[in-house]
Amino acid sequence: MPENSNKLILNANDRLGNNLRKIYNDNHNLVLNIIGGPGSGKTTLITSLIKNIGLQTAVIEADMAQDFDTQIIKTLNVPVEQINTVNSCHLNARQVAKVFRKNIQFRNAQIIFIENVGNLICPTEFFLGEHLQVIVFSVTDGDNKPLKYPVSFHKANLVIITKLDLLPYVNFDLNLAWQNIKTLNPDAQIFNVSSVIQSGINELSQTLSKKYQEMYV
Amino acid sequence: MHEITIANNLLRQLTKIAQTKQAQLISVNIEIGEFRSIDKECLEFAIDNLKDNYPLLNQCDFKYKIITTLAYCLKNNHLYKPDFVNSFKCNQCDSGIKAIIQGEEFNIANPKFSNVVN
Ligand SMILES: Nc1nc2c(ncn2[C@@H]2O[C@H](COP(=O)(O)OP(=O)(O)O)[C@@H](O)[C@H]2O)c(=O)[nH]1
Ligand SMILES: [Mg+2]
Ligand SMILES: [Zn+2]
């Protein structure tokens, strides 16, 4: 939760998150906190964007255990750091700050993708200083997901619906999904993408590049 | 179970305040907005179990209050309570949330301190 000047920041995490935001701004990093259920397509989407975006990227991968996603990102030769949260269902600002101290390559990245632990509830309570909170869900998850996780969808800056190539095979009403998102968050920018057939990826890359230009160029 | 982390963060911050006052915290109200991913029962359980680790807080009576969600609707600025029953839509005109004006809080109120501790 970004700083609210006349309220005491109750949550020590928010205080650290606000400090991180200043560091990102000094470095000229555009930072995305990518939140979605397990298997919603977060890693695959990040991979597609890295290949497409034409900016320097870096990735923080969070999982309770293992480093499968980090191994995938490594093949693309971009800086990547794994955080294993072990018993915790979310990333916190302290863990991200540690990555920044440890790996100086992150300072030079123009876009930083933070893939949060697969979970649609808890991560939204922990501000990581990100500029954009991104919610990812797929057509195989069901069009009612926004209404089931209203807080996360309400707070999101971008909502990305993934696996559009599977639309013919599943019972998913795309218009209804958009409506449900807009009910909770009329300002959210929504994207339909498929990493398999690479649809929507260009448009999303351009939106992020534009955001980067607006902020730092 | 992220409430455990939130509880520890909260207790740490409250300890800082108690330290600057050089006093023991005796009671405090914790206000939790309904439209947050913070479960009151979980938070209460976590604080009950953690407060003994914080010497300036272990006597404290923690009181909890839920703040209900209120929003203005997108089409007509109706004041309404978004909830699961009507898919978070306005009960008068069926449009969505324009702005939430209440229910996203996580505040403390009325902290009461004992006399100076030695
Ligand atoms: N058909 C299809 N499958 C996808 C797409 N994106 C991801 N997947 C598959 O969905 C599964 C989970 O993807 P992953 O990116 O690991 O999800 P994460 O857990 O959210 O990081 C993998 O088997 C991916 O190959 C997509 O656009 N279309
Ligand atoms: Mg992943
Ligand atoms: Zn209305």
Side-chain angles (χ1 to χ4, degrees), chain A:
Chain A
M1 180 125 317
E3 193 151 16
N4 182 344
S5 54
N6 53 24
K7 282 256 165 65
L8 172 76
I9 304 175
L10 266 193
N11 192 324
N13 182 78
D14 288 352
R15 190 183 291 260
L16 256 176
N18 290 328
N19 289 345
L20 273 173
R21 168 68 75 85
K22 288 183 196 124
I23 294 172
Y24 304 152
N25 290 350
D26 288 346
N27 292 342
H28 290 194
N29 310 129
L30 168 58
V31 178
L32 282 68
N33 184 4
I34 301 178
I35 297 170
S40 53
K42 299 181 292 299
T43 309
T44 312
L45 175 70
I46 292 169
T47 310
S48 303
L49 289 172
I50 290 172
K51 290 180 188 159
N52 193 282
I53 202 161
L55 292 170
Q56 267 177 281
T57 56
V59 182
I60 294 175
E61 282 293 344
D63 270 304
M64 293 181 79
Q66 297 293 350
D67 67 346
F68 298 125
D69 294 348
T70 292
Q71 295 309 330
I72 293 170
I73 303 297
K74 272 193 178 152
T75 64
L76 303 173
N77 286 319
V78 302
V80 56
E81 288 288 335
Q82 175 74 43
I83 299 172
N84 284 127
T85 58
V86 193
N87 289 320
S88 175
C89 46
H90 58 270
L91 271 175
N92 65 50
R94 189 187 302 262
Q95 293 165 318
V96 174
K98 222 166 144 185
V99 167
F100 267 77
R101 282 198 298 273
K102 178 181 161 203
N103 190 336
I104 56 166
Q105 289 179 296
F106 276 74
R107 294 179 202 165
N108 302 324
Q110 293 165 300
I111 308 246
I112 296 175
F113 300 104
I114 302 178
E115 180 177 346
N116 219 308
V117 181
N119 181 324
L120 257 180
I121 307 170
C122 317
T124 52
E125 278 298 330
F126 295 85
F127 180 53
L128 306 177
E130 72 269 12
H131 301 99
L132 298 174
Q133 193 172 106
V134 183
I135 298 289
V136 174
F137 78 115
S138 77
V139 300
T140 56
D141 293 334
D143 46 34
N144 59 13
K145 274 297 162 302
L147 299 182
K148 286 188 171 181
Y149 302 97
V151 177
S152 305
F153 280 87
H154 173 70
K155 282 173 80 174
N157 304 104
L158 306 182
V159 177
I160 298 168
I161 305 175
T162 58
K163 311 192 190 182
L164 258 283
D165 56 293
L166 298 179
L167 200 54
Y169 312 103
V170 289
N171 189 4
F172 184 96
D173 183 337
L174 197 55
N175 284 331
L176 181 59
W178 275 61
Q179 247 181 57
N180 288 340
I181 298 163
K182 290 284 180 193
T183 296
L184 293 160
N185 187 348
D187 300 325
Q189 269 186 291
I190 310 174
F191 294 86
N192 301 331
V193 309
S194 163
S195 294
V196 166
I197 55 170
Q198 291 292 304
S199 74
I201 301 292
N202 271 334
E203 196 191 349
L204 181 53
S205 295
Q206 279 159 17
T207 301
L208 295 177
S209 300
K210 198 166 146 241
K211 174 86 184 160
Y212 179 83
Q213 306 283 332
E214 281 166 10
M215 283 171 67
Y216 297 125
V217 180

Side-chain angles (χ1 to χ4, degrees), chain B residues 15-72:
Chain B
T15 295
K16 274 190 195 152
I17 300 169
Q19 276 166 349
T20 56
K21 297 206 179 280
Q22 298 195 322
Q24 188 97 20
L25 186 65
I26 295 173
S27 73
V28 67
N29 298 341
I30 298 174
E31 303 177 343
I32 308 166
E34 235 178 359
F35 214 77
R36 289 284 296 241
S37 300
I38 302 175
D39 183 79
K40 175 183 158 285
E41 310 301 326
C42 288
L43 188 70
E44 203 170 343
F45 179 78
I47 288 178
D48 280 351
N49 282 281
L50 293 167
K51 70 176 182 181
D52 283 348
N53 302 332
Y54 298 83
L56 293 179
L57 312 179
N58 56 13
Q59 308 294 322
C60 178
D61 178 20
F62 290 91
K63 296 170 192 153
Y64 300 86
K65 186 179 153 200
I66 297 285
I67 300 175
T68 51
T69 312
L70 279 179
Y72 286 119

Side-chain angles (χ1 to χ4, degrees), chain B residues 73 76 78 90 93 95:
Chain B
C73 83
N76 299 304
H78 294 130
C90 173
C93 72
S95 75

